[in-house]
């Protein structure tokens, strides 16, 4: 995604609804250019279009979550992508930060193989020819577009990779990293058993809220990529537990 598209998405997020003419004025480009940009964002499901307006996607699906803090998630994705080498095979679980990361990997690396339980990610990066996707089977959750359950565990057990990249829904100093869905949490744990390193991709807002179920303790995580708004106390706690913390501005 270009810098202008990211700027448009941030503006729409801030205003929830904004005129095409206003976007044209703010970004100093023609309305024709803005409309073409909005078509791209709409096709990705990141915004909705109304006559003369760009409107925030209010639905509670992964497309809406993609649009929230998109620019920060993109910076996190680009930073984490530096740890992946051409020709590598990695695992990526479901979630908005993971989807943006998967696209960044698919665009910037050569001969990459991505294993995932996310049908959304498989579809999201399908146009990139340098990337092969292995979709782990299982029970399909329609809203999150992810496979879970015993079959997912069996599939994950057939492979072994160096790195698994995951998202989180919350954090508790006493419980650790948390998820919002038990079945998805179990699927991620199964994938982690087949990986040498578990790496979290998350904007800092997730570190200030609770999830519903326990996902991983601090000792289970090798690295965290987040933004510079992570509280100093939490960062110190992570680093004392051996978690390598990388922040983006």
């Amino acid at each position: 995604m270009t810098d202008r598209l990211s700027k448009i998405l941030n503006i729409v997020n801030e205003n929830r609804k904004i005129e095409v003419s206003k976007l044209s004025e703010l970004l100093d480009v023609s309305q024709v250019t803005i409309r073409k940009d909005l078509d791209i964002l709409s096709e990705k499901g990141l915004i909705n279009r109304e006559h003369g307006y760009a409107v925030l996607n209010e639905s509670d699906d992964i497309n809406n979550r993609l649009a929230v803090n998109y620019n920060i998630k993109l910076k996190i994705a680009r930073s984490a992508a530096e740890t992946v080498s051409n020709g590598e095979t990695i695992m990526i679980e479901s979630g908005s930060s993971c989807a943006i990361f998967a696209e960044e990997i698919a665009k910037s690396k050569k001969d990459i193989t991505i294993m995932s339980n996310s049908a959304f990610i498989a579809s999201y990066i399908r146009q990139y020819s340098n990337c092969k996707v292995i979709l782990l089977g299982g029970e399909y959750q329609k809203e999150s577009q992810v496979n879970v359950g015993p079959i997912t565990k069996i599939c994950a057990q057939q492979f072994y990779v160096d790195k698994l990249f995951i998202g989180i829904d919350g954090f508790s100093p006493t419980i650790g990293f948390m998820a919002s869905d038990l079945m998805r949490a179990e699927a991620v744990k199964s994938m982690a058993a087949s990986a040498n390193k578990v790496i979290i991709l998350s904007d800092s807002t997730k570190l200030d809220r609770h999830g519903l179920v326990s996902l991983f303790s601090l000792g289970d995580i090798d690295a965290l990529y987040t933004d510079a708004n992570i509280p100093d106390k939490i960062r110190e706690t992570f680093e004392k537990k051996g978690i390598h913390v990388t922040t983006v501005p």
Side-chain angles (χ1 to χ4, degrees):
M1 183 178 291
T2 66
D3 289 340
R4 189 174 66 243
L5 290 177
S6 296
K7 289 177 181 178
I8 291 173
L9 191 54
N10 288 337
I11 294 170
V12 175
N13 268 287
E14 291 173 2
N15 292 271
R16 309 192 78 81
K17 182 176 182 178
I18 188 168
E19 301 94 333
V20 171
S21 58
K22 184 65 174 178
L23 285 170
S24 173
E25 178 184 334
L26 289 172
L27 298 175
D28 194 27
V29 294
S30 70
Q31 292 188 33
V32 172
T33 298
I34 291 295
R35 290 191 184 95
K36 289 179 179 178
D37 289 343
L38 294 179
D39 285 341
I40 294 172
L41 294 173
S42 179
E43 288 173 4
K44 285 180 170 287
L46 297 173
I47 65 165
N48 292 325
R49 296 287 304 276
E50 293 182 5
H51 184 66
Y53 289 87
V55 183
L56 182 66
N57 187 343
E58 299 283 4
S59 63
D60 188 27
D61 61 13
I62 190 169
N63 285 309
N64 184 39
R65 295 195 297 275
L66 274 172
V68 176
N69 294 327
Y70 180 89
N71 197 42
I72 290 175
K73 292 174 181 176
L74 180 59
K75 289 179 180 179
I76 290 170
R78 287 174 174 170
S79 180
E82 295 177 4
T83 68
V84 179
S85 303
N86 292 332
E88 190 171 356
T89 297
I90 60 175
M91 279 188 180
I92 306 178
E93 70 105 9
S94 61
S96 58
S97 293
C98 289
I100 295 169
F101 172 72
E103 183 178 37
E104 190 63 26
I105 290 294
K107 288 193 303 183
S108 62
K109 305 295 180 178
K110 295 180 179 179
D111 301 322
I112 289 292
T113 299
I114 293 176
M115 297 181 185
S116 181
N117 64 329
S118 172
F120 177 86
I121 287 178
S123 175
Y124 196 66
I125 63 174
R126 66 186 183 276
Q127 71 269 34
Y128 298 103
S129 59
N130 283 336
C131 180
K132 180 170 72 174
V133 178
I134 297 175
L135 185 61
L136 304 178
E139 178 185 341
Y140 183 62
Q141 289 187 339
K142 293 181 180 179
E143 182 174 308
S144 57
Q145 301 181 51
V146 63
N147 294 330
V148 297
I151 296 177
T152 305
K153 181 177 181 178
I154 293 172
C155 290
Q157 289 173 338
Q158 308 309 307
F159 303 98
Y160 187 80
V161 298
D162 185 52
K163 305 179 188 75
L164 165 65
F165 296 88
I166 71 169
I168 58 170
D169 294 311
F171 170 75
S172 165
T174 56
I175 298 173
F177 298 101
M178 306 183 75
S180 60
D181 182 276
L182 179 60
M183 295 289 283
R184 284 181 61 190
E186 291 302 314
V188 176
K189 290 177 182 178
S190 297
M191 295 167 71
S194 295
N196 183 40
K197 299 175 184 176
V198 180
I199 301 167
I200 293 176
L201 311 176
S202 176
D203 62 88
S204 62
T205 61
K206 299 286 183 66
L207 302 174
D208 196 33
R209 67 180 71 164
H210 275 211
L212 294 177
V213 297
S214 173
L215 185 58
F216 290 113
S217 67
L218 296 183
D220 295 324
I221 301 301
D222 295 278
L224 166 70
Y225 287 80
T226 187
D227 59 84
N229 291 323
I230 179 176
D232 290 338
K233 185 175 182 180
I234 292 180
R235 179 170 186 158
E236 290 171 4
T237 298
F238 292 166
E239 291 178 339
K240 285 179 180 178
K241 289 293 185 176
I243 300 174
H244 180 73
V245 179
T246 300
T247 59
V248 298

